[in-house]
Amino acid sequence: MRPTVHDIAAAAGVSLATVDRVLNQRPGVRHVTREKVETAIRELGYVRDVAAANLAKGRTYPLVFILPASDNSFMHGLNAEIRQAVLRSSAERTDIRTIEVPAFDPAALVSVLEELSREKPCGIALVATDAPGVRAVVDRLVRERFPIVTLVSDLTGSLRHHYAGVDNIAAGRTAARLLGRFLGPKKGEIAVLAGSMLVRDHRERLEGFTAVMAEEFPDLAILPVLEGRDDPEIAHMLVADALSRNAGIIGVYSLGAGNRGLIRALKEKAVDRVLTVIAHELTAHTRAALIDNTIDAILNQDAGHEVRSAIRVLKAKADGLAVIEAQERIRLDIFLKDNLP
């Protein structure tokens, strides 16, 4: 049976109020009395429940989410989930704010992180741009005891505490297997639309995708990646141009955002050919495209789960508590028009 504060009080011969003052490092306790209480704590093997103590003290956790500012439906959805978390703030004892930085801009992200290091929030969750400067400032903040969680896009090799997102290599492999199975014995070329190779999640999805294609579907040739910067207008221009110039394209893998532009380009070319299309993130636009057969399958990550996971982990790290890995694992969902939620 675990020792309690009552056991400490009895062993030290002091009141519960005195034990509380010592545990919470409050003044008003004589040096000799403090030593008696601390000796009792050591001898009894008392382990303090930090989370319960913080609840009793009414502690609030100031948390910051750093997101890319872009016309990106998934990021809009992520923002909406953070706003829902703000509505739960009083119950969860959080004080959450969001900072937006230009997408795919490492210098801007570094600048915001440097500023936050002076403000000292309880935790920071960020959609990471994978660059040496970002990794260096994240590592410095972790060494200075800032809890850091990467969200959606990881910063592998850094000292960040946790990643709240899907296994992106597995996601890319899944996309390749679906596309290859859908196309069957056909031979042709595959267009790949990404946001930017500056973010690790896009690079990892491409890595998984190309590996399975090379291993299992050698008759499908992957064209050079189109980088649409998750911008619908740029994505539309790149995809429309690729389809116009290359009659051999029979499949498309959209591994980032910019899907509104992709869908527009696909609908414009629908009269010319039938394409098999795999994309990421279930939004209002990709849902409609699934229903009308413009897109064949969507790989989705639950933005709400990612936000809730980031908050749980940041609070646990702020309290020095362990993270329950199974609870924080983000699954990859596969949606066809037949199983839409």
Side-chain angles (χ1 to χ4, degrees), residues 68-126:
S70 64
D71 190 11
N72 174 328
S73 296
F74 178 75
M75 287 302 163
H76 292 328
L78 197 65
N79 245 316
E81 293 294 345
I82 295 170
R83 290 194 294 273
Q84 288 299 310
V86 170
L87 296 177
R88 302 190 299 268
S89 288
S90 58
E92 297 181 351
R93 296 172 292 123
T94 56
D95 178 11
I96 297 171
R97 66 186 173 110
T98 302
I99 298 174
E100 291 192 336
V101 298
F104 314 122
D105 187 337
L109 183 52
V110 166
S111 178
V112 168
L113 288 167
E114 293 281 8
E115 181 62 31
L116 289 173
S117 72
R118 292 184 281 275
E119 294 182 21
K120 301 190 182 305
C122 273
I124 300 168
L126 70 149

Side-chain angles (χ1 to χ4, degrees), residues 3 87 92-93 102 111 142 150 158 174 221 244 266-267 274 315 335:
L87 296 177
E92 297 181 351
R93 296 172 292 123
S111 178
V142 171
T150 52
S158 71
T174 302
S244 295
L266 293 172
K267 288 182 181 293
V274 176
K315 288 172 65 178
F335 292 117

Side-chain angles (χ1 to χ4, degrees), residues 27-327:
V29 182
R30 291 187 306 158
H31 177 70
V32 64
T33 304
R34 187 178 296 277
E35 283 190 340
K36 285 182 181 178
V37 173
E38 289 175 348
T39 299
I41 289 170
R42 287 194 302 273
E43 290 178 350
L44 290 170
Y46 175 79
V47 178
R48 190 179 181 209
D49 187 338
V50 180
N54 284 333
L55 177 61
K57 289 188 292 184
R59 180 185 183 184
T60 297
Y61 300 79
L63 306 176
V64 178
F65 282 79
I66 308 174
L67 304 183
S70 64
D71 190 11
N72 174 328
S73 296
F74 178 75
M75 287 302 163
H76 292 328
L78 197 65
N79 245 316
E81 293 294 345
I82 295 170
R83 290 194 294 273
Q84 288 299 310
V86 170
L87 296 177
R88 302 190 299 268
S89 288
S90 58
E92 297 181 351
R93 296 172 292 123
T94 56
D95 178 11
I96 297 171
R97 66 186 173 110
T98 302
I99 298 174
E100 291 192 336
V101 298
F104 314 122
D105 187 337
L109 183 52
V110 166
S111 178
V112 168
L113 288 167
E114 293 281 8
E115 181 62 31
L116 289 173
S117 72
R118 292 184 281 275
E119 294 182 21
K120 301 190 182 305
C122 273
I124 300 168
L126 70 149
V127 178
T129 300
D130 192 8
V134 177
R135 189 176 294 103
V137 71
V138 164
D139 287 354
R140 179 172 65 76
L141 288 174
V142 171
R143 291 189 186 100
E144 293 174 4
R145 301 187 181 282
F146 284 85
I148 303 281
V149 168
T150 52
L151 192 66
V152 180
S153 185
D154 199 8
L155 198 58
T156 308
S158 71
L159 298 178
R160 58 94 178 119
H161 293 97
H162 184 76
Y163 164 56
V166 297
D167 179 335
N168 284 297
I169 291 179
R173 292 182 65 87
T174 302
R177 201 170 305 284
L178 286 170
L179 191 57
R181 293 287 182 89
F182 285 166
L183 287 170
K186 292 180 182 177
K187 296 182 180 181
E189 294 171 324
I190 306 299
V192 177
L193 174 65
S196 170
M197 293 296 101
L198 282 174
V199 288
R200 182 169 288 274
D201 59 328
H202 291 195
R203 293 206 307 273
E204 288 182 342
R205 289 175 188 177
L206 181 63
E207 178 186 340
F209 184 79
T210 54
V212 170
M213 280 293 176
E215 292 164 6
E216 300 190 26
F217 307 104
D219 290 332
L220 299 174
I222 301 174
L223 296 174
V225 176
L226 307 172
E227 293 190 57
R229 301 190 68 80
D230 287 352
D231 183 303
E233 293 305 317
I234 297 174
H236 170 261
M237 177 189 69
L238 291 173
V239 174
D241 180 62
L243 293 176
S244 295
R245 287 187 295 100
N246 196 327
I249 295 175
I250 60 173
V252 178
Y253 175 37
S254 175
L255 58 80
N259 284 324
R260 279 177 289 159
L262 166 70
I263 292 165
R264 219 170 95 211
L266 293 172
K267 288 182 181 293
E268 290 168 359
K269 293 296 177 182
V271 294
D272 299 334
R273 71 186 97 165
V274 176
L275 297 168
T276 300
V277 182
I278 309 294
H280 280 263
E281 316 315 350
L282 186 63
T283 66
H285 302 283
T286 56
R287 175 187 289 272
L290 267 181
I291 291 170
D292 69 15
N293 298 314
T294 303
I295 292 176
D296 296 276
I298 292 290
L299 305 181
N300 189 63
Q301 54 190 316
D302 186 336
H305 188 183
E306 290 171 340
V307 169
R308 293 189 297 274
S309 176
I311 292 169
R312 282 193 299 267
V313 171
L314 289 174
K315 288 172 65 178
K317 292 299 178 183
D319 285 339
L321 302 176
V323 172
I324 304 171
E325 293 295 341
Q327 183 181 22

